Amino acid sequence: ATPLRIGSQVLNSRLILGSGKYDSFELMRDSIEASATDCVTLAVRREKLNDSSARNILDFLPYQELTLLPNTAGCYDAVTAVRCAKLGRAILEGLDNPGQSWVKLEVLGNSRTLLPDPFELLKATETLVADGFDVLCYSNDDPVVARRLKDAGAAAVMPAGSPIGSGLGIANENNQRIILAELKRGDPDYPVILDAGVGTASDAVIAMELGFDAVLLNSAVAKAKNPIKMSAAMRLAVNAGRLAFEAGRMPTSAYGSASSPELGVISDRKLQDS
Amino acid sequence: ATPLRIGSQVLNSRLILGSGKYDSFELMRDSIEASATDCVTLAVRREKLNDSSARNILDFLPYQELTLLPNTAGCYDAVTAVRCAKLGRAILEGLDNPGQSWVKLEVLGNSRTLLPDPFELLKATETLVADGFDVLCYSNDDPVVARRLKDAGAAAVMPAGSPIGSGLGIANENNQRIILAELKRGDPDYPVILDAGVGTASDAVIAMELGFDAVLLNSAVAKAKNPIKMSAAMRLAVNAGRLAFEAGRMPTSAYGSASSPELGVISDRKLQDS
Amino acid sequence: ATPLRIGSQVLNSRLILGSGKYDSFELMRDSIEASATDCVTLAVRREKLNDSSARNILDFLPYQELTLLPNTAGCYDAVTAVRCAKLGRAILEGLDNPGQSWVKLEVLGNSRTLLPDPFELLKATETLVADGFDVLCYSNDDPVVARRLKDAGAAAVMPAGSPIGSGLGIANENNQRIILAELKRGDPDYPVILDAGVGTASDAVIAMELGFDAVLLNSAVAKAKNPIKMSAAMRLAVNAGRLAFEAGRMPTSAYGSASSPELGVISDRKLQDS
Amino acid sequence: ATPLRIGSQVLNSRLILGSGKYDSFELMRDSIEASATDCVTLAVRREKLNDSSARNILDFLPYQELTLLPNTAGCYDAVTAVRCAKLGRAILEGLDNPGQSWVKLEVLGNSRTLLPDPFELLKATETLVADGFDVLCYSNDDPVVARRLKDAGAAAVMPAGSPIGSGLGIANENNQRIILAELKRGDPDYPVILDAGVGTASDAVIAMELGFDAVLLNSAVAKAKNPIKMSAAMRLAVNAGRLAFEAGRMPTSAYGSASSPELGVISDRKLQDS
């Protein structure tokens, strides 16, 4: 498969995994391994690093082999999100990880829905772009907002399929189709990534079939009954969806359509002939 | 993955491919190879064997490595379908192929929709079961009909997702869930296979996530713009769906749900500590 | 609105109401009144007539003004259903109600899903048609079965939208469209009625927009929090759907389409002119 | 039905109709009459008032009996929209119409999709609220944007079901449910109106069943094959949906649920008794 370029980064896998919500660091580590991803996103905080047993997430992340994608989860305004992004950069510089140049920008509008606030998001995007970040914007599924974020210099727009952690998949395929058409018009390589809402493997396939460049997910794996197996499913799902998108699906019709009489037929002449 | 037992046959792949509707035998051959299937279904006819260039389908099918599944496509009544099934058995005996013991039983009710006729289907099933066939019944998505076919001794019930060649996927998930629950109640290994309607990779994933044991498809690959690539997509799709089914998906909720504060967080303490 | 002819009966309302599942006879009576229906269906039994207070359903049904439609609810085979239909005829003859000539034929295949058994249903239809009944067949949503019932002489075919009492609406619009097209090809006045599955007013509108001639429902009204109000909603819904079907809906498009510049505009010239 | 209060206006009908896109003024007039609406929205322009035959829209609108709702269709930034709103106010003052106090605020982000621009929309809302307008905001279906508009003093928020003129109905029911819950939490009478996307009667019913206070539509009537009949359908649809919402629908279940044995049953004892 073609590698995916996002700003200054290049990814081989089109599946980006979150690192939260797992029952344990071990489960996170094994799920990430099963996904074959080369990019994992982490929330940046000033304090937290260890779990309740004082263990460090970095001991469970093969971060030398991964591009870490710092995110600003939990920020509700542009100022806080910008500060958080810079902290992430500082941390990743300390780790010598290539992820220091980019950020998954989340600026939430509401703690109940965890949906993004387009107003603060646009402000933060402008500030971080000016500061040299590759900004990956977690956005709603509004084509106008998506356009504004791209125009503001976002390295990628990442519309939510449905609320974070809802598992509802892509709630509005029509909007996502419009976003993809609008952002890729005359710029087919501009990365558009589905971020949030994926609940199971078919959701990821549908996203890739629509033409998304990648899928970012967390709960679908972390909250599956068997996260490691679901992670393996997601690895195949993203590849299946990409291949199907590239292959170009058959047209649909309300009624059936019979097989040609020419092919796919075995007859008794074989016996008679031989 | 666990092999799938259907009557006396055992399959390693959960993707069964049709051999019709391809633009050429070469495309059929390469698509079958890309699918990694070990079972291909063929229509049985008294005359047809060669294409317009007098080439034989068997020259393009690695039938020594495949289990061939003869089907009674194009039959509209029980008598004709039974005769066709027996012809298929004779042909496959001649080829020394294990598929001689089974048949994909199609008895169509209507040439416009290609939907099965449950009345003639049940009659033909009873006759063929009595004659020792492993009968795989291509059926509608009615749970009562599915139950009657199983009770008549069908080795597998194969409900249509939507009309053959329509590419509409699974039109009625509720009925399919009921069929799966009813046929597998107290008999979890009884094979239920989605046959007809799959249009793209996500349809196959959804089928497997619902709990189908396998997916049988033809047009989705043969009529894709790039059949070989779509066949590769289907191979991954069926595996992704099976893994997701086994993994057990997360629950859904209308609203979002935030990441735990515990995990998936990177902080600047790492820097301070080191 | 055009009256609806079904066999020898003519109905002015296109809403047919069930009489079961209400919390009381009084609620049934008031709901029927609010619906403005002129046809109510009743289950026929050898014994039951009174409620636990020994009150008689007929004291709460204005049966002189209604056409009663006896149904064979609870029958699981053709023989029992035929016997039940004849009992219904005898009862309605005793009441001198025009409904004595017809029957809503239910032959169920399964007590869990309450889905019809097409095999026993077809047998019972043939018997009752030969005996002079106008047979309204409660069927599954299979176009082939629907065709066979019409060919057997059914006065109307009544496909289930989804299982009785499920409230899931029309689970498979594609099948229902095919049924309507197939049964009305060259015979546009042949009555096709949606029976079962309606859960709320929009389900009834969707059915009528698809081209069904009428909607038969029970639980949607009887199990609403306020049955009388829901019954009034259903009365409007059926009429709204019929009008929309006759009006012919606008086409859909993925993108928006602006208003013409010509009309729907008010300007300041009015002020300047006056 | 309860009248609907929006800012300083009170409406008896919960159907608001657009006046554009009709093939003629006569068709507009008759459709408005068939709808029984008491509120019609008009685009405001500096020049246009007459059609190509120099006839004036006001000669075809019974504007003494209607509340006119001026809209800012065709505006792409806050400054232009505010100017347009003020022009509308001036025009309606000249007509002595109560609609002078309010405006349907459209600020579009894109001429292809006609979707609103949340950034310019919020700015224009703030300006017009400060100027004493009752502002009805045509918005996207983002709960965060809806909240911001209400907080800015909008008299009503009017989310798009899908793009203007698309006829796709409500593309994202989950978002609309969240918007309704968020805007009406602790403020149940706050008006939330579905504006854009309705294509046929069932779309309007679904909107009202979700709990919208009213539906605003134009193309669904103007572009129906028979606009007058569709307008009559919409009148019933909005009332049916409102009644169903107030009635409270039955719960859904995957499986069927039988009628109670107690009620809805007729027996032969009636005959024996009499």
Side-chain angles (χ1 to χ4, degrees):
Chain A
T2 338
L4 170 63
R5 175 172 291 277
I6 305 172
S8 54
Q9 309 288 331
V10 177
L11 302 178
N12 289 306
S13 166
R14 289 170 180 272
L15 175 61
I16 303 176
L17 227 56
S19 53
K21 302 188 183 184
Y22 289 93
D23 286 348
S24 72
F25 279 150
E26 287 81 359
L27 209 46
M28 178 199 75
R29 178 195 59 206
D30 295 347
S31 298
I32 288 170
E33 188 186 344
S35 76
T37 186
D38 50 3
C39 178
V40 168
T41 181
L42 294 107
V44 174
R45 291 279 199 306
R46 193 155 283 280
E47 323 103 57
K48 246 303 153 203
L49 182 70
N50 304 324
D51 70 2
S52 51
S53 315
R55 301 186 303 172
N56 188 314
I57 189 172
L58 293 175
D59 298 335
F60 294 86
L61 271 180
Y63 61 89
Q64 296 86 345
E65 300 154 35
L66 294 171
T67 300
L68 299 181
L69 171 56
N71 70 59
T72 63
C75 296
Y76 286 84
D77 62 83
V79 169
T80 312
V82 166
R83 196 186 308 129
C84 183
K86 289 180 180 173
L87 176 60
R89 179 164 62 183
I91 297 172
L92 266 70
E93 281 171 352
L95 297 174
D96 203 26
N97 188 285
Q100 62 197 252
S101 69
W102 68 359
V103 65
K104 177 188 167 197
L105 182 60
E106 286 189 31
V107 194
L108 303 182
N110 184 303
S111 63
R112 264 186 306 274
T113 63
L114 304 178
L115 288 168
D117 179 327
F119 308 97
E120 296 295 308
L121 178 62
L122 182 59
K123 267 191 262 178
T125 301
E126 289 165 345
T127 305
L128 290 170
V129 167
D131 197 9
F133 278 89
D134 286 335
V135 184
L136 288 68
C137 293
Y138 166 63
S139 179
N140 61 15
D141 65 3
D142 180 332
V144 175
V145 171
R147 180 81 236 173
R148 293 288 289 261
L149 294 168
K150 184 182 175 190
D151 290 349
V157 174
M158 308 205 293
S162 46
I164 296 180
S166 70
L168 292 175
I170 293 183
N172 189 341
E173 272 195 31
N174 195 55
N175 264 17
Q176 304 288 7
R177 284 180 203 277
I178 295 175
I179 287 174
L180 288 161
E182 294 287 319
L183 298 195
K184 287 174 175 286
R185 179 175 294 121
D187 188 9
D189 293 335
Y190 185 77
V192 187
I193 298 171
L194 188 83
D195 178 2
V198 167
T200 182
S202 51
D203 296 334
V205 181
I206 290 169
M208 297 303 292
E209 287 174 341
L210 286 170
F212 282 100
D213 294 283
V215 173
L216 192 160
L217 58 88
N218 187 347
S219 304
V221 165
K223 290 301 165 199
K225 293 210 186 72
N226 183 332
I228 298 168
K229 201 170 248 193
M230 186 58 90
S231 192
M234 289 298 180
R235 178 168 74 89
L236 299 178
V238 167
N239 289 336
R242 183 69 185 175
L243 282 169
F245 170 71
E246 292 176 355
R249 64 161 290 157
M250 65 177 290
T252 58
S253 62
Y255 280 68
S257 139
S259 185
S260 95
E262 184 81 357
L263 294 176
V265 169
I266 194 167
S267 87
D268 57 353
R269 196 171 310 166
K270 172 76 187 176
L271 295 176
Q272 294 158 2
D273 289 357
S274 56
Chain B
T2 338
L4 170 63
R5 174 173 292 278
I6 305 171
S8 54
Q9 309 288 333
V10 177
L11 302 178
N12 288 307
S13 166
R14 288 168 180 273
L15 174 61
I16 303 176
L17 227 56
S19 53
K21 303 189 184 186
Y22 288 93
D23 286 347
S24 72
F25 279 151
E26 287 80 359
L27 209 47
M28 177 199 76
R29 178 195 60 206
D30 295 348
S31 298
I32 288 171
E33 189 186 343
S35 76
T37 185
D38 51 3
C39 179
V40 169
T41 181
L42 293 108
V44 174
R45 291 278 199 309
R46 194 155 281 281
E47 321 103 57
K48 248 304 153 203
L49 181 70
N50 303 324
D51 70 3
S52 51
S53 316
R55 302 188 301 172
N56 188 314
I57 190 171
L58 293 175
D59 298 336
F60 294 86
L61 271 181
Y63 61 89
Q64 295 85 345
E65 299 154 35
L66 294 170
T67 300
L68 299 181
L69 171 57
N71 70 59
T72 63
C75 296
Y76 286 82
D77 62 84
V79 169
T80 312
V82 167
R83 195 185 308 130
C84 182
K86 290 180 178 171
L87 176 59
R89 177 163 64 183
I91 296 171
L92 267 70
E93 282 172 350
L95 298 173
D96 203 26
N97 189 284
Q100 63 197 249
S101 69
W102 68 0
V103 65
K104 177 189 168 196
L105 182 60
E106 286 188 31
V107 195
L108 303 183
N110 185 302
S111 63
R112 264 187 306 274
T113 63
L114 304 179
L115 290 168
D117 179 327
F119 307 97
E120 295 295 307
L121 179 62
L122 182 59
K123 267 191 262 177
T125 301
E126 289 165 345
T127 305
L128 291 170
V129 167
D131 196 8
F133 279 90
D134 286 336
V135 184
L136 288 69
C137 294
Y138 166 63
S139 179
N140 62 13
D141 65 3
D142 179 332
V144 175
V145 171
R147 180 81 236 172
R148 294 288 287 261
L149 294 169
K150 184 183 175 190
D151 289 349
V157 174
M158 310 206 292
S162 45
I164 295 180
S166 70
L168 292 173
I170 293 183
N172 189 340
E173 273 195 32
N174 195 55
N175 264 17
Q176 303 287 8
R177 285 180 203 277
I178 295 175
I179 287 174
L180 288 160
E182 293 287 319
L183 298 194
K184 288 175 175 286
R185 178 174 295 120
D187 188 9
D189 293 335
Y190 184 77
V192 188
I193 298 171
L194 188 82
D195 178 2
V198 167
T200 184
S202 51
D203 296 334
V205 181
I206 290 169
M208 297 303 292
E209 287 174 341
L210 285 171
F212 282 99
D213 295 283
V215 173
L216 192 160
L217 58 88
N218 187 348
S219 304
V221 166
K223 292 298 164 202
K225 292 209 188 73
N226 184 332
I228 299 168
K229 201 170 249 193
M230 186 58 89
S231 191
M234 289 298 180
R235 180 170 72 90
L236 299 178
V238 167
N239 290 337
R242 183 68 186 178
L243 282 169
F245 171 71
E246 291 175 357
R249 64 161 291 156
M250 65 178 289
T252 58
S253 62
Y255 281 69
S257 140
S259 185
S260 96
E262 184 79 359
L263 293 177
V265 169
I266 195 168
S267 87
D268 57 353
R269 194 172 309 167
K270 173 74 188 177
L271 296 177
Q272 294 158 2
D273 288 358
S274 56
Chain C
T2 337
L4 172 63
R5 174 173 292 278
I6 305 171
S8 53
Q9 309 288 334
V10 176
L11 302 178
N12 287 306
S13 166
R14 289 171 179 274
L15 174 61
I16 303 176
L17 227 57
S19 54
K21 303 190 184 183
Y22 289 92
D23 286 348
S24 72
F25 279 150
E26 287 82 358
L27 209 47
M28 178 199 76
R29 178 194 60 207
D30 296 348
S31 298
I32 288 171
E33 189 186 342
S35 75
T37 186
D38 51 2
C39 179
V40 169
T41 181
L42 293 108
V44 174
R45 290 281 198 307
R46 194 154 282 278
E47 322 104 57
K48 249 301 156 206
L49 181 71
N50 305 323
D51 70 1
S52 50
S53 316
R55 299 187 305 172
N56 188 314
I57 190 173
L58 294 175
D59 298 335
F60 295 86
L61 270 181
Y63 60 89
Q64 294 87 345
E65 299 154 34
L66 294 170
T67 299
L68 298 181
L69 171 55
N71 71 58
T72 62
C75 295
Y76 285 83
D77 62 84
V79 170
T80 311
V82 167
R83 197 185 306 129
C84 182
K86 290 180 178 172
L87 176 61
R89 178 163 64 182
I91 296 172
L92 267 70
E93 281 171 353
L95 298 173
D96 202 25
N97 189 284
Q100 62 198 251
S101 69
W102 70 357
V103 65
K104 178 191 166 194
L105 182 61
E106 286 188 31
V107 194
L108 304 182
N110 184 302
S111 64
R112 264 187 305 272
T113 63
L114 304 179
L115 288 169
D117 179 326
F119 308 97
E120 295 295 307
L121 178 62
L122 182 59
K123 266 192 260 175
T125 300
E126 289 164 345
T127 305
L128 290 170
V129 166
D131 197 9
F133 278 89
D134 286 336
V135 183
L136 288 70
C137 293
Y138 166 62
S139 178
N140 62 14
D141 64 4
D142 180 330
V144 175
V145 172
R147 180 82 237 174
R148 293 288 287 262
L149 294 169
K150 184 183 175 192
D151 289 349
V157 174
M158 309 205 294
S162 46
I164 296 180
S166 70
L168 292 175
I170 293 183
N172 188 342
E173 273 195 29
N174 195 54
N175 264 16
Q176 303 287 7
R177 285 180 202 277
I178 294 175
I179 287 175
L180 287 161
E182 294 287 318
L183 298 195
K184 287 174 175 287
R185 179 174 294 121
D187 188 9
D189 293 335
Y190 184 77
V192 187
I193 298 171
L194 188 83
D195 179 3
V198 167
T200 182
S202 52
D203 296 334
V205 181
I206 290 169
M208 297 303 292
E209 287 175 341
L210 285 171
F212 282 99
D213 295 283
V215 172
L216 193 160
L217 58 87
N218 186 349
S219 303
V221 165
K223 291 299 163 203
K225 292 208 187 73
N226 183 333
I228 299 168
K229 201 170 247 192
M230 186 58 91
S231 191
M234 289 299 180
R235 178 169 73 90
L236 299 178
V238 167
N239 290 335
R242 182 67 186 178
L243 282 169
F245 171 70
E246 291 176 356
R249 64 160 292 155
M250 67 178 290
T252 58
S253 62
Y255 280 68
S257 139
S259 185
S260 96
E262 184 80 359
L263 293 176
V265 169
I266 195 167
S267 86
D268 57 353
R269 194 171 311 167
K270 172 74 186 176
L271 295 176
Q272 293 157 3
D273 290 356
S274 55
Chain D
T2 337
L4 171 62
R5 174 173 293 278
I6 305 171
S8 53
Q9 309 287 334
V10 176
L11 302 178
N12 288 307
S13 166
R14 289 170 179 273
L15 174 60
I16 303 176
L17 228 56
S19 53
K21 302 190 185 184
Y22 289 93
D23 286 347
S24 72
F25 279 150
E26 287 81 359
L27 209 46
M28 177 200 76
R29 178 195 60 207
D30 296 348
S31 298
I32 288 171
E33 189 186 343
S35 76
T37 186
D38 50 2
C39 179
V40 169
T41 181
L42 293 106
V44 174
R45 291 280 197 309
R46 194 155 282 280
E47 319 106 56
K48 248 306 156 202
L49 182 71
N50 304 322
D51 70 3
S52 50
S53 317
R55 301 185 306 172
N56 187 312
I57 190 172
L58 293 175
D59 298 335
F60 294 86
L61 271 181
Y63 59 89
Q64 296 85 346
E65 299 155 33
L66 294 170
T67 300
L68 299 181
L69 170 57
N71 70 59
T72 63
C75 296
Y76 285 83
D77 62 84
V79 170
T80 310
V82 167
R83 196 185 308 131
C84 183
K86 290 180 179 174
L87 176 59
R89 178 163 64 182
I91 296 172
L92 267 70
E93 281 170 352
L95 298 174
D96 203 25
N97 189 284
Q100 63 198 248
S101 70
W102 69 359
V103 65
K104 177 189 166 194
L105 182 61
E106 286 189 29
V107 195
L108 304 182
N110 184 301
S111 63
R112 265 187 304 274
T113 63
L114 304 178
L115 289 168
D117 179 327
F119 307 97
E120 295 295 307
L121 179 62
L122 182 59
K123 267 191 260 176
T125 301
E126 290 164 346
T127 305
L128 290 171
V129 167
D131 196 8
F133 278 89
D134 286 336
V135 184
L136 287 71
C137 294
Y138 166 63
S139 178
N140 62 13
D141 65 2
D142 179 331
V144 175
V145 171
R147 180 81 235 172
R148 294 288 288 262
L149 293 169
K150 184 183 175 190
D151 290 349
V157 174
M158 309 205 294
S162 46
I164 294 181
S166 70
L168 293 174
I170 293 183
N172 189 341
E173 273 195 30
N174 195 55
N175 264 17
Q176 303 287 7
R177 285 180 202 277
I178 295 175
I179 287 175
L180 287 161
E182 293 288 319
L183 298 194
K184 288 174 175 287
R185 178 174 294 119
D187 187 8
D189 293 335
Y190 183 78
V192 187
I193 298 172
L194 188 82
D195 179 3
V198 167
T200 183
S202 51
D203 296 333
V205 181
I206 290 168
M208 297 303 292
E209 287 175 342
L210 285 170
F212 282 99
D213 295 283
V215 173
L216 192 160
L217 58 88
N218 187 349
S219 303
V221 165
K223 291 299 163 204
K225 291 208 187 71
N226 182 332
I228 300 169
K229 202 169 247 192
M230 186 58 91
S231 191
M234 290 298 181
R235 179 169 72 91
L236 299 178
V238 167
N239 289 336
R242 183 68 185 177
L243 282 169
F245 171 71
E246 291 175 357
R249 64 160 291 156
M250 65 178 289
T252 57
S253 62
Y255 280 68
S257 139
S259 185
S260 95
E262 183 80 0
L263 292 176
V265 169
I266 194 166
S267 86
D268 57 353
R269 195 172 310 166
K270 171 74 186 177
L271 296 176
Q272 295 156 2
D273 289 357
S274 55

